[in-house]
Amino acid sequence: MENTELLTILSSPKRIVITTHKNPDGDAMGSSLALCNYLTLKGHNALVITPNEYPDFLDWLPGNSTVKNGKDIPQFAKDRIAEADIIFCLDFNTLSRIDQLAKPVEESTAFKVLIDHHQQPQPFDFMFHNVEASSTCQLVFEFIDMLGDKALINKDIASCLYTGIMTDTGSFKFPSTTAKVHRIIADLIEAGADNSAIHRNVFSAYTENRLKLLGFCIGQKLVVIPEKATAYITLTKEELAKYSFQPGDTEGIVNYPLDIKGIKFSVIFIEREDGIKISFRSVGTFSVNQFSRANFGGGGHDNAAGGQSTLSLQQTVEKFVTLLDTYAADIINS
Ligand code: 5GP
Ligand code: MN
């Protein structure tokens, strides 16, 4: 589909639903709220519906109070999706990533747009997709620019976009942080994004328990396998309860083992009510997207992916450690 056709569709007020992946992160909420703020400014009736709750450190995002959690109000979510003219799917590549919202979205006759940077996306009516992009927030910036509306990016929109680019690039350090990304960031700061305040809002807003959970993970739960350039952390339900776990508390912990010299592959296994949630991170050429797709029913990016397991925590770790024998050479040489 041509851009002009999308422009025509958006040229009159529409009922729009924006949705994003479950357990939304900074890029998911930043991109969704930036787009929602923009579409509202353009006279549309736009609403963000998430599959479940998201961390408190994102609740300052402009427009946050309008977001609906589809898990709390399933019928409302279904109705709004069913009556939407356009559905924007942000920061995910397959409908299974939005859990219970997948069916209503699939069944809806709305025009469906994907804006995303994950690998191997399923087809949508209109796709604004680039795996090279640092973040979905970068793509939303480029999407607004493509529609000729860069000048409409105000402080609210800029703050949302800055947040997702910042979180998805590991604060501008991953290889995806190109010169173009820095130019976009400069534009966002000029448009009013308060970079210093946003960093504090997101990274220095933890509870005491969260900081102690991080200390516990690194001090007592870290397993390092230097000969395979791998390290991993496990967390049981009981351990999470001891630190009064809140959504978002485990975010980012998986990155710490990569600070050890020689470690190229880091994993965290988290026991949840619905199974084991796994996060994979790598540096170099070892693709955790492929590793997760092949072994843990997940995916994501080459250097950051998620997955899941229905085995027990211990069995999941045993499966993982056994797999390392097969992958060790790839990891070490990456
Ligand atoms: P995280 O480990 O932070 O949950 O996810 C890392 C990256 O992989 C994020 O970009 C996330 O959207 C993606 N991701 C996480 N879990 C899955 C999954 O099960 N399937 C796919 N396709 N992507 C995932
Ligand atoms: Mn993203």
Side-chain angles (χ1 to χ4, degrees):
M1 188 208 210
E2 294 301 317
N3 297 346
T4 46
E5 289 176 63
L6 184 66
L7 264 173
T8 311
I9 295 173
L10 286 170
S11 64
S12 60
K14 292 287 184 302
R15 289 165 299 186
I16 298 176
V17 167
I18 300 162
T19 190
T20 189
H21 62 79
K22 70 175 165 182
N23 303 323
D25 57 9
D27 192 33
M29 292 317 299
S31 59
S32 297
L33 281 168
L35 186 66
C36 189
N37 285 319
Y38 162 72
L39 292 169
T40 305
L41 213 59
K42 294 287 282 183
H44 299 288
N45 177 352
L47 176 69
V48 178
I49 302 179
T50 60
N52 65 349
E53 65 281 357
Y54 51 92
D56 286 349
F57 62 76
L58 297 173
D59 67 8
W60 61 273
L61 284 169
N64 174 70
S65 61
T66 65
V67 176
K68 302 293 179 202
N69 175 351
K71 207 168 97 182
D72 290 345
I73 38 172
Q75 194 55 48
F76 171 87
K78 270 190 206 160
D79 291 346
R80 284 299 294 255
I81 289 169
E83 68 199 21
D85 302 308
I86 309 175
I87 300 174
F88 279 91
C89 292
L90 265 55
D91 200 36
F92 66 90
N93 51 359
T94 128
L95 287 182
S96 61
R97 297 276 292 134
I98 55 173
D99 275 3
Q100 81 286 1
L101 298 182
K103 198 161 171 275
V105 168
E106 205 161 8
E107 288 170 355
S108 160
T109 56
F111 185 79
K112 290 165 205 162
V113 181
L114 177 78
I115 305 182
D116 179 51
H117 66 136
H118 292 90
Q119 301 188 2
Q120 293 140 295
Q122 71 175 70
F124 278 75
D125 297 326
F126 184 88
M127 298 175 73
F128 199 81
H129 184 270
N130 182 0
V131 290
E132 310 267 290
S134 65
S135 53
T136 300
C137 277
Q138 175 183 345
L139 291 173
V140 168
F141 178 94
E142 291 170 1
F143 181 76
I144 295 173
D145 192 19
M146 175 193 82
L147 296 177
D149 282 333
K150 195 168 131 181
L152 288 186
I153 296 181
N154 57 21
K155 179 175 174 143
D156 284 354
I157 297 172
S159 303
C160 293
L161 293 178
Y162 185 98
T163 300
I165 299 177
M166 175 186 81
T167 55
D168 258 31
T169 58
S171 297
F172 317 111
K173 72 169 178 269
F174 297 155
S176 59
T177 319
T178 56
K180 186 180 184 188
V181 170
H182 283 289
R183 285 193 194 97
I184 291 173
I185 286 296
D187 284 346
L188 296 177
I189 293 174
E190 270 174 6
D194 183 342
N195 53 316
S196 186
I198 294 173
H199 279 261
R200 278 201 65 74
N201 284 346
V202 174
F203 297 122
S204 303
Y206 292 125
T207 59
E208 181 184 340
N209 270 323
R210 195 279 176 182
L211 205 60
K212 287 182 172 163
L213 173 67
L214 172 64
F216 172 66
C217 286
I218 294 171
Q220 297 184 48
K221 301 303 308 274
L222 177 65
V223 179
V224 184
I225 313 171
E227 67 279 12
K228 290 177 182 150
T230 298
Y232 69 89
I233 291 167
T234 57
L235 280 173
T236 64
K237 273 190 259 184
E238 292 73 28
E239 288 164 344
L240 289 169
K242 194 174 154 210
Y243 290 92
S244 309
F245 171 78
Q246 301 295 317
D249 281 356
T250 51
E251 194 102 344
I253 294 180
V254 66
N255 294 311
Y256 284 90
L258 295 175
D259 290 346
I260 303 170
K261 194 170 181 188
I263 296 301
K264 296 177 174 176
F265 184 28
S266 170
V267 186
I268 189 166
F269 300 90
I270 301 166
E271 192 180 36
R272 293 226 180 122
E273 288 307 326
D274 55 349
I276 312 299
K277 154 78 188 149
I278 316 170
S279 286
F280 302 98
R281 299 291 185 270
S282 66
V283 284
T285 54
F286 180 65
S287 171
V288 290
N289 170 54
Q290 281 172 26
F291 181 84
S292 182
R293 269 175 197 274
N295 304 296
F296 292 100
H301 311 284
D302 284 336
N303 294 126
Q308 41 274 317
S309 162
T310 49
L311 301 171
S312 71
L313 183 59
Q314 196 190 333
Q315 287 169 327
T316 304
V317 173
E318 281 167 10
K319 173 180 167 180
F320 170 73
V321 170
T322 305
L323 280 167
L324 283 180
D325 291 336
T326 313
Y327 287 89
D330 287 351
I331 301 164
I332 294 161
N333 298 325
S334 72

